[in-house]
């Protein structure tokens, strides 16, 4: 594992926690009642400095897909809920890494994207195996 991978994972978890907190401030008590994802379509929101480039459009689509797929049915089992939510989160990282491989030019960023794809695919397989072993 690249020595930067734990830093990126920690950053992703911190960002996810911040997003969850921000979302909780705008939802009715009880959280994602009905799992209504209206208002989470980022494709219509202007981003500072964003343009209509193919990579920007691809990132927006990947982000929207990841957030929709992360709206899992919670079971009350922290282990199961973690695994079910992290699979689409990791898939989102893979999708974004593939976008930079298609559109990016920096060799260091491309190398990191390749490492992320490899690590996240392995972790997704581990999570799916765990869920299968626990009949979830």
């Amino acid at each position: 594992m690249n020595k930067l991978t734990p830093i990126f994972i920690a950053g992703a978890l911190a960002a996810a926690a911040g997003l969850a907190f921000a979302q909780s401030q705008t939802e009715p008590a009880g959280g994602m009642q009905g799992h209504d994802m209206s208002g989470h379509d980022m494709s219509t929101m202007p981003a500072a400095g964003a343009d209509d480039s193919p990579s920007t459009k691809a990132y927006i689509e990947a982000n929207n897909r990841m957030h929709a797929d992360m709206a899992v049915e919670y079971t009350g089992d922290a282990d199961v809920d973690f695994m079910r939510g992290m699979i689409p989160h990791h898939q989102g990282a893979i999708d974004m890494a593939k976008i930079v491989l298609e559109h990016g030019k920096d060799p260091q960023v491309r190398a990191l994207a390749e490492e992320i794809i490899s690590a996240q695919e392995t972790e997704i397989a581990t999570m799916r195996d765990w869920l299968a072993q626990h009949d979830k």
Side-chain angles (χ1 to χ4, degrees):
M1 178 184 330
N2 180 307
K3 57 186 165 185
L4 293 177
T5 301
I7 293 169
F8 285 109
I9 292 171
L13 291 174
L19 289 170
F21 176 77
Q23 182 178 1
S24 73
Q25 300 303 303
T26 61
E27 291 182 351
M32 293 180 56
Q33 295 176 348
H35 300 291
D36 179 11
M37 294 300 290
S38 62
H40 290 273
D41 179 3
M42 305 299 281
S43 65
T44 60
M45 296 180 63
D51 58 22
D52 291 329
S53 73
S55 63
T56 299
K57 290 178 182 177
Y59 284 129
I60 291 168
E61 290 172 12
N63 189 44
N64 288 339
R65 184 174 45 254
M66 177 186 70
H67 283 102
D69 292 347
M70 287 176 61
V72 298
E73 289 289 330
Y74 292 103
T75 66
D77 181 322
D79 298 325
V80 171
D81 294 345
F82 173 78
M83 294 296 200
R84 287 182 176 171
M86 287 304 290
I87 290 171
H89 178 73
H90 280 35
Q91 184 60 54
I94 291 169
D95 294 345
M96 291 191 313
K98 288 180 178 179
I99 294 165
V100 81
L101 289 177
E102 181 178 348
H103 300 283
K105 308 236 183 311
D106 186 286
Q108 187 176 7
V109 174
R110 294 175 60 81
L112 179 59
E114 289 172 351
E115 289 176 24
I116 287 171
I117 291 168
S118 177
Q120 301 296 304
E121 285 176 341
T122 300
E123 291 176 9
I124 288 172
T126 299
M127 289 183 270
R128 286 187 174 143
D129 289 345
W130 186 92
L131 287 167
Q133 291 171 5
H134 293 85
D135 296 322
K136 305 294 177 184

